[in-house]
Amino acid sequence: MMGTKIALIFFFFACFEAINADENCTQEDLQKITDCYSEANNGDVPFLTEIVAPMFTLNATKDYWMPICESKTKLNGCIGKERIQKCFTIQNVIGLPFSPIETAAKIIIASFLEIDHTCESILKFSEEELKCLSNLYETVPELCKSTSFECEDINAAMNCTVQNAYDQCGKSVGCFNQKSAVLQMCYVNIVCENCIDISAVNNPIIHLCGDSDETKVEEKLEVTTSESPDSMNTTTMA
Ligand SMILES: *[C@@H]1O[C@H](CO)[C@@H](O)[C@H](O)[C@H]1NC(C)=O
Ligand SMILES: *[C@@H]1O[C@H](CO)[C@@H](O)[C@H](O)[C@H]1NC(C)=O
Ligand SMILES: *[C@@H]1O[C@H](CO)[C@@H](O)[C@H](O)[C@H]1NC(C)=O
Ligand SMILES: CC(=O)N[C@H]1CO[C@H](CO)[C@@H](O)[C@@H]1O
């Protein structure tokens, strides 16, 4: 949300690859998903940039997110859980009109997951946590800005952002930012060559750090696999 702001470069080519949905996600499924995105966008097929825009507006208020989250809940309902699970893979999302190349498909999947993640967290944060997050949004872009478009620098900027979130706002906001950062690294997959197999099922933030209510119990059972905030301390800051 913060570090990648400047790195949001889209490479668009006017080439549409042949649609090759896999055996689980049919042409009809892809059409349904396209229709749902259009419905959420007042009837027009959205542009990729419109879909990711909410994440790059650094606004930590419930007023800002409430309508976005309502719209996302509708989108999820329209597509349906089963279709989300089987169709939100890179190979299938390439078949959607707004993400005809692999880079774009990764961005669509990451943004799909990031809006859910943001909505789950922000709407539950206390006023204090929101205030702290707002302060971060004001200070961190300058404090942790990437010095170049190289992957290493972008990664360092992201780590700096996450570190600051933990240090200044505590565990919940820290974990929220850590998850956001991991998904946001997918937006720069053209420079970082990451997010190789992101999908709705293979969501990279599941069990990443545990503080949200719905994963608390599970996280306790998986302490050994979750990353502790302290590990952020071992990373070098730019
Ligand atoms: C289709 O679904 C089956 C059962 O869930 C799964 O084993 C298979 O890997 C899926 N195929 C693709 C191409 O994802
Ligand atoms: C955040 O969004 C709300 C609702 O759209 C708006 O009223 C407010 O001015 C925004 N705040 C910032 C800091 O952008
Ligand atoms: C990082 O280390 C410093 C000093 O050792 C400590 O005060 C701070 O709480 C640590 N931050 C995290 C996120 O653990
Ligand atoms: C976004 C992010 O968290 N990037 C990296 C921060 O540093 C650790 C340790 O080097 C990496 O594993 C993360 O991917």
Coordinates of all heavy atoms in Angstrom, one line a residue, residues 55 67 99 152 158-159 184 214 232 234-235:
M55 N -6.4 0.4 -3.2 CA -5.3 0.1 -2.3 C -4.2 1.1 -2.4 O -3.4 1.2 -1.5 CB -4.7 -1.3 -2.8 CG -5.2 -2.5 -2.1 SD -6.8 -3.0 -2.8 CE -6.3 -3.5 -4.5
P67 N -18.0 1.6 1.7 CA -18.6 1.3 0.4 C -17.8 0.3 -0.5 O -18.3 -0.5 -1.2 CB -18.7 2.7 -0.3 CG -17.8 3.6 0.5 CD -17.7 3.0 1.9
S99 N -7.3 -8.6 -17.8 CA -6.0 -9.1 -17.4 C -5.5 -10.2 -18.4 O -5.2 -11.3 -18.0 CB -6.1 -9.7 -16.0 OG -7.2 -10.6 -15.9
E152 N 15.3 -5.4 -5.2 CA 15.9 -5.4 -3.9 C 15.5 -4.1 -3.1 O 15.2 -4.2 -1.9 CB 17.4 -5.4 -4.1 CG 18.2 -6.0 -2.9 CD 19.7 -5.9 -3.2 OE1 20.1 -6.3 -4.4 OE2 20.4 -5.5 -2.4
M158 N 9.5 -2.2 1.5 CA 8.4 -2.9 2.1 C 8.7 -3.4 3.5 O 7.9 -3.3 4.4 CB 8.0 -4.2 1.2 CG 7.2 -3.8 0.0 SD 5.6 -3.2 0.5 CE 4.8 -3.3 -1.0
N159 N 9.9 -3.9 3.7 CA 10.3 -4.4 5.0 C 10.3 -3.2 6.0 O 10.0 -3.4 7.1 CB 11.6 -5.1 4.9 CG 11.5 -6.6 4.6 OD1 10.5 -7.2 5.1 ND2 12.3 -7.1 3.8
Q184 N 1.2 -6.9 -1.9 CA 1.6 -5.8 -2.8 C 2.8 -6.1 -3.6 O 3.0 -5.5 -4.7 CB 1.7 -4.5 -1.9 CG 0.4 -4.0 -1.5 CD 0.5 -3.0 -0.4 OE1 1.6 -2.5 -0.1 NE2 -0.6 -2.6 0.2
E214 N -10.4 -14.2 13.3 CA -10.8 -15.5 12.6 C -9.7 -16.5 12.5 O -10.0 -17.6 12.3 CB -11.5 -15.2 11.3 CG -10.6 -14.7 10.2 CD -10.3 -13.2 10.3 OE1 -10.9 -12.5 11.2 OE2 -9.5 -12.7 9.5
M232 N 11.3 -9.5 11.6 CA 11.4 -8.3 10.8 C 12.6 -7.5 11.2 O 13.2 -6.7 10.4 CB 10.2 -7.4 10.9 CG 8.8 -8.1 10.6 SD 8.8 -8.8 9.0 CE 9.1 -7.4 7.9
T234 N 15.5 -8.5 11.8 CA 16.7 -9.1 11.3 C 17.0 -8.6 9.9 O 18.0 -8.8 9.3 CB 16.7 -10.6 11.3 OG1 15.7 -11.0 10.4 CG2 16.5 -11.2 12.7
T235 N 16.0 -7.9 9.3 CA 16.1 -7.5 8.0 C 16.8 -6.1 7.9 O 16.7 -5.3 8.7 CB 14.8 -7.4 7.3 OG1 14.0 -6.4 7.9 CG2 14.0 -8.7 7.3

